């Protein structure tokens, strides 16, 4: 038996070697080395090193990294991105804010070679700052007809936000939005997540911000509404030598909100316009909020700026002499047998007008005409002679006549 095994031993060894070579060739053909590309999300490590010196950062580039892996086809076919990690060690940032991305296979991956591309993680460092923001409540939709939202409470109502100086300075407000459509009873919402809004009104990415509050609770009191008239009263007097010419106010009603009991006590909203000591026109809006009773709220418009517009025209008081024709003066008790005329020592230049003094608002006095002034004189007790007769001057509108005005007339027999 032994002799048979040893018989042609050289040929047998050659056959075994040939078979091994053929097997190796087959293995290398069927399971050859190959390469595969991978793209990975870069994970940051040691970011706390920056925070410890009150610094933070914003990523400029390099949030993904690429590499090629080399290995047997049988190994590569079962590998994916999840079998590798890409990390940027922020404790190793260069002076330019760059760090190489380290790509590694997970411990269970064997028999492969990683050939990374030139992956650089680039950041910009900034000062780390913190700022407080009040939580704003926004509403969407409309409550039931005849109702309005009263007091709104947010708990907690302040949020401290920590982040880069650039991001913090770009925050417009922090708000929660509640849909109030159709509500007629109090609203209570818990666990609302605030949204941080940028100055341009869009929602901000808060992934690099730290907030000490993540959710808030909101309660809203629902009130009834009522539409009531608005009455404007004017308090005080203008400055000496000035007069009010006209007073005009705007809208005549307003809708307010409150409990039914409080609204039942309110039938009109009285607002005041103070003109005390004014010497020029007053054009302003009298704010409703300054005259609303306690526990009554404005239900329409901007609660801080809405009001009634008033326009008060104020002018200086001036005086003016107006010449009235003697023929237009009514002589009460005049005798048909007598002749009446304005007395003048120089009978050749007898005037035919009498000057009367009126005063009032400048615009009215400037516009007054002689025919608008009624002048009478009682001559029933006078006979032939020259007399100083009291004039009765009557004017209309905002014009007044000077008191105790007189004219000198001459009475004589008709020729």
């Amino acid at each position: 038996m032994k002799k048979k095994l040893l018989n042609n031993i050289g040929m047998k060894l050659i056959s075994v070697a040939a078979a091994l070579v053929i097997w190796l060739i087959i293995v290398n053909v069927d399971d050859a080395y190959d390469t595969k590309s991978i793209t990975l999300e870069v994970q940051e490590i040691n970011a706390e090193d920056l925070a410890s010196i009150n610094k933070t950062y914003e990523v400029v580039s390099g949030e993904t990294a690429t590499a090629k892996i080399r290995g047997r086809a049988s190994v590569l076919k079962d590998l994916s991105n999840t079998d590798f990690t890409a990390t940027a060690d922020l404790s190793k940032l260069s002076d330019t804010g760059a760090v190489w991305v380290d790509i590694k296979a997970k411990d269970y991956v064997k028999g492969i070679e990683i050939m990374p591309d030139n992956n650089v993680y680039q950041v910009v460092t900034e000062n780390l700052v913190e700022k407080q923001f009040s939580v704003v409540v926004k509403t969407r939709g409309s409550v039931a007809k005849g109702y309005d939202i009263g007091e709104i409470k947010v708990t907690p109502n302040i949020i401290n936000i920590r982040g880069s100086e650039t991001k913090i300075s770009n925050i417009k407000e922090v708000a929660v939005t509640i849909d109030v459509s159709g509500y007629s009873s109090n609203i209570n919402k818990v666990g609302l997540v605030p949204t941080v809004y940028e100055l341009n009104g869009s929602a901000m990415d808060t992934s690099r911000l730290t907030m000490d509050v993540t959710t808030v609770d909101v309660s809203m009191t629902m009130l009834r509404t009522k539409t009531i008239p608005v009455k404007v009263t004017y308090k005080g007097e203008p400055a000496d030598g000035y007069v009010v010419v006209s007073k005009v106010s705007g809208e005549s009603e307003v809708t307010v909100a409150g409990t039914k009991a409080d609204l039942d006590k309110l039938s009109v909203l009285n607002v005041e316009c103070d003109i005390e000591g004014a010497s020029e026109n007053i054009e302003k809006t009298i704010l409703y909020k300054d005259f609303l009773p306690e526990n009554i709220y404005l239900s329409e418009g901007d609660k801080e700026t809405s009001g009634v517009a008033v326009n008060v025209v104020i002018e200086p008081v001036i005086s003016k002499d107006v010449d009235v024709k003697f023929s237009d003066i009514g002589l009460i008790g005049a005798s048909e047998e007598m002749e009446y005329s304005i007395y003048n020592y120089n009978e050749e230049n007898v005037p035919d007008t009498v000057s009367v003094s009126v005063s009032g608002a400048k615009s009215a006095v400037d516009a007054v005409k002689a025919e608008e002034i009624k002048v009478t004189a009682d001559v029933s007790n006078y006979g032939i002679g020259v007399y100083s007769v009291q004039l009765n001057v009557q004017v209309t509108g905002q014009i007044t006549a000077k008191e105790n005005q007189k004219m000198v007339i001459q009475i004589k027999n008709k020729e």
Side-chain angles (χ1 to χ4, degrees), residues 61-125:
S61 62
E63 292 177 285
T64 60
T66 58
K68 289 183 175 63
I69 54 175
R70 185 174 186 277
R72 295 286 184 181
S74 60
V75 175
L76 295 183
K77 70 181 181 65
D78 293 326
L79 295 179
S80 66
N81 292 347
T82 59
D83 299 307
F84 300 85
T85 60
T87 57
D89 189 346
L90 299 187
S91 67
K92 298 179 180 180
L93 285 176
S94 68
D95 292 340
T96 62
V99 62
W100 290 106
V101 177
D102 185 21
I103 299 178
K104 291 182 178 180
K106 294 185 178 178
D107 291 342
Y108 56 79
V109 178
K110 306 295 183 183
I112 56 98
E113 178 187 0
I114 299 176
M115 298 174 289
D117 295 331
N118 293 325
N119 299 301
V120 176
Y121 198 66
Q122 182 74 48
V123 302
V124 173
T125 58

Side-chain angles (χ1 to χ4, degrees), residues 259-402:
T259 64
K260 185 178 183 304
D262 288 330
L263 290 178
D264 286 344
K265 302 174 186 176
L266 186 65
S267 59
V268 62
L269 179 60
N270 292 300
V271 300
E272 285 185 349
C273 177
D274 189 357
I275 60 176
E276 183 66 32
S279 59
E280 58 185 17
N281 294 345
I282 297 173
E283 294 183 28
K284 67 178 181 179
T285 297
I286 302 176
L287 300 179
Y288 291 133
K289 69 172 186 175
D290 294 336
F291 297 92
L292 288 171
E294 188 176 2
N295 299 325
I296 298 293
Y297 309 91
L298 189 65
S299 181
E300 57 188 5
D302 189 305
K303 293 177 173 57
E304 293 299 315
T305 61
S306 291
V308 58
V310 295
N311 186 353
V312 182
V313 177
I314 297 175
E315 294 182 2
V317 175
I318 65 171
S319 296
K320 176 181 179 181
D321 290 336
V322 180
D323 291 332
V324 179
K325 290 182 179 179
F326 181 74
S327 58
D328 290 335
I329 297 175
L331 298 178
I332 301 171
S335 171
E336 294 181 358
E337 298 176 355
M338 300 292 183
E339 183 179 286
Y340 300 84
S341 64
I342 300 173
Y343 176 75
N344 189 17
Y345 291 102
N346 184 356
E347 293 185 357
E348 294 181 357
N349 296 302
V350 177
D352 62 353
T353 61
V354 175
S355 181
V356 296
S357 180
V358 295
S359 63
K362 184 178 184 303
S363 59
V365 171
D366 286 342
V368 72
K369 299 177 180 178
E371 53 267 29
E372 296 172 341
I373 302 174
K374 183 179 180 181
V375 182
T376 61
D378 188 349
V379 295
S380 58
N381 294 324
Y382 298 100
I384 296 173
V386 176
Y387 305 95
S388 177
V389 180
Q390 179 77 39
L391 296 177
N392 180 18
V393 182
Q394 296 179 358
V395 289
T396 59
Q398 294 180 314
I399 300 175
T400 59
K402 181 180 178 181

Side-chain angles (χ1 to χ4, degrees), residues 26-40:
I26 292 172
V27 166
N28 278 282
V29 170
D30 288 346
D31 195 13
Y33 278 92
D34 199 357
T35 59
K36 183 176 184 178
S37 296
I38 57 173
T39 300
L40 306 172

